[in-house]
Each structure stands twice: as C-alpha cells, then as structure tokens.
C-alpha cells in the first residue's frame, strides 16, 4: 500500500528530502504537459537508476519514495484533467488543452514509467535489488500505474499513436512482471538472482494474486483493450496459475 511505501522510505530520508517529496506529492501537475513528462522521466533517471539505486541507504529510501511519488503524481494529473474533459459545457479549446495533458501522460510518460519500474521489479543481474525488497515496491507501483490509467483510456478519445504506445507498454510490462519479477522456488540462480526466501515466496504469492486480479478484473474488462492485449492477458493468467 502507499502507506507501507511511505513508511519504509520516510524513515531513512533526511528532513529536507521528506519535505520536498511531500510538496511534490501534493502537486496537481504543470501547465505544460511536456514539463510533466520531463519531470517524471528525470525522477526516474535520478532516483531509479538500477546501477545506483542501492549505493547507500539514503538512495534506497529515495527510490522507494520516488515510486510512491510517481504513482501519486500521475494519479493527480489524471484526476485533474479527466474531471475537466468530462464537462459538457467546456470550451473546445479548453478541451483540446486538457486532452494534450492526457495524451502526453499516457503516450509518453506512462510507457517510460512502466519500463523503468518493471526493470527495477525484475532486478535481472542485480541480486542486491532482490535482497533489498525494493522489487516488491516497484511491482506494486506498476499495478497502481496500470490500474489508475485504464479509466482514462476507456473514457477519452486518444490518438492511435498514444494508444499504441500505452498498450504496448502495459502488455510488455505485465508480461515481464509475471515471467521475471515474480520469483518461485525454482528460480534460484536464474539470471544471477538468488534463491527466494520463504518470506519472498509468500510476498510473491500475494503480489501474483494482485497482478492476476488486475488482469482479470480490470484489463480484460476494459472495453478499450485491443484484442491482442486481451489475449496476452489470458495467457498471463494461465502462467500465474501454474
């Protein structure tokens, strides 16, 4: 949950760092959609680089807090602009401006976030990331990102290139989450990963249920989902059931 993520990260953040993150988490976005995309990409580059994320305990805490920030920032931007797009009396020019924010977020920012968060969740070649438990928070963040953005895809008329980028990122990220991020007792030593502990297996089972519920009750139920994405979702559910 967000509360768990915040508790884990805040305990090791400096006071000023926590204060700044608190301000950013309350932000409603920026006037220019390009700034929102740039902000999210820079957050990933600064705090979620797989090669630096565990350089010290403070960087690990920053990474955990950043995962929460990404979810909250995207959620606030979506809610802010979706509510305006849904107004029947809105000026066409205002509607176009609001839609640009959604196009940029769903077609550029979210695909990038999905790739970065999924790479952190997989931790391939980085057994220290697996041992730290950060992969669990990253996988949880991925679930939130997909779940929060599906309603916007359902309700808003988006450009084909935006939809293509979004669905490709969602499908590939969920596939990687199922096949790479979720460990099983047979995975010990695969791709440089350590054998999962009993606690990791218990957490993985819970996360597998969460991912399965997301696919079954949100992705497959989404009327905007392309047929090929739905077919991949069904295959992933079979993989989770093995």
């Amino acid at each position: 949950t967000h509360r768990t993520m915040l508790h884990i990260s805040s305990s090791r953040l400096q006071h000023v760092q926590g204060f700044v993150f608190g301000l950013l988490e309350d932000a409603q976005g920026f006037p220019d959609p390009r700034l929102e995309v740039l902000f999210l990409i820079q957050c990933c580059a600064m705090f979620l680089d797989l090669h630096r994320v565990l350089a010290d305990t403070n960087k690990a805490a920053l990474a955990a807090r950043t995962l929460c920030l990404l979810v909250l920032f995207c959620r606030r931007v979506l809610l802010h602009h979706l509510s305006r797009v849904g107004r029947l009396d809105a000026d066409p020019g205002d509607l176009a401006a609001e839609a640009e924010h959604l196009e940029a977020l769903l077609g550029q920012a979210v695909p990038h976030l999905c790739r970065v968060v999924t790479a952190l969740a997989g931790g391939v070649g980085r057994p220290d990331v697996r041992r730290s438990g950060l992969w669990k928070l990253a996988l949880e963040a991925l679930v939130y990102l997909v779940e929060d953005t599906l309603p916007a895809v359902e309700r808003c008329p988006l450009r084909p290139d935006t939809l293509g980028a979004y669905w490709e990122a969602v499908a590939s990220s969920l596939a990687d989450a199922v096949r790479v991020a979720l460990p099983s007792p047979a995975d010990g030593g695969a791709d440089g990963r350590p054998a999962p502990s009993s606690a990791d297996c218990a957490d993985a089972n819970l996360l597998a249920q969460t991912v399965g519920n997301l696919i079954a009750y949100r992705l497959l139920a989404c009327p905007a989902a392309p047929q090929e994405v739905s077919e991949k979702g069904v295959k992933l559910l079979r993989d989770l059931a093995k």
Side-chain angles (χ1 to χ4, degrees), residues 44-56:
C44 293
M46 290 178 63
F47 303 119
L48 298 181
D49 186 331
L50 198 57
H51 301 289
R52 296 181 296 174
V53 72
L54 293 179
D56 53 52

Side-chain angles (χ1 to χ4, degrees), residues 189-237:
D191 297 324
R193 290 180 289 167
S197 65
S198 58
D200 275 343
C201 288
D203 289 340
N205 287 335
L206 180 59
L207 288 168
Q209 293 177 23
T210 303
V211 173
N213 288 337
L214 172 67
I215 296 172
Y217 297 112
R218 295 295 293 115
L219 180 65
L220 296 183
C222 178
Q227 180 179 350
E228 59 270 22
V229 173
S230 297
E231 291 173 352
K232 290 179 180 178
V234 172
K235 186 176 186 304
L236 292 177
L237 287 177

Side-chain angles (χ1 to χ4, degrees), residues 127-138:
D128 52 342
V129 173
R130 305 292 299 189
R131 285 193 297 266
S132 72
L134 194 59
W135 70 273
K136 303 172 190 176
L137 301 181

Side-chain angles (χ1 to χ4, degrees), residues 55-79:
D56 53 52
T57 56
N58 183 248
K59 284 187 172 54
L62 286 169
R65 189 65 181 262
T66 299
L67 290 170
C68 193
L69 169 63
L70 298 179
V71 173
L72 292 175
F73 186 88
C74 289
R75 182 176 294 174
R76 285 182 179 275
V77 171
L78 284 171
L79 291 176

Side-chain angles (χ1 to χ4, degrees), residues 61-164:
L62 286 169
R65 189 65 181 262
T66 299
L67 290 170
C68 193
L69 169 63
L70 298 179
V71 173
L72 292 175
F73 186 88
C74 289
R75 182 176 294 174
R76 285 182 179 275
V77 171
L78 284 171
L79 291 176
H80 180 68
H81 295 288
L82 272 178
S83 63
R84 297 190 174 193
V85 168
R87 287 172 50 196
L88 297 177
D89 60 341
D91 180 86
D94 293 338
L95 286 177
E98 302 297 337
E100 280 302 313
H101 285 268
L102 298 175
E103 295 276 2
L105 185 72
L106 297 172
Q108 301 175 46
V110 169
H112 181 78
L113 297 181
C114 286
R115 287 190 290 269
V116 171
V117 170
T118 304
L120 188 59
V124 177
R126 291 299 306 271
D128 52 342
V129 173
R130 305 292 299 189
R131 285 193 297 266
S132 72
L134 194 59
W135 70 273
K136 303 172 190 176
L137 301 181
L139 187 53
E140 186 178 353
L142 174 65
V143 170
Y144 281 125
L145 286 170
V146 175
E147 187 173 30
D148 288 348
T149 53
L150 283 175
V153 178
E154 293 176 8
R155 300 173 189 174
C156 298
L158 300 169
R159 295 193 299 263
D161 58 328
T162 297
L163 290 172

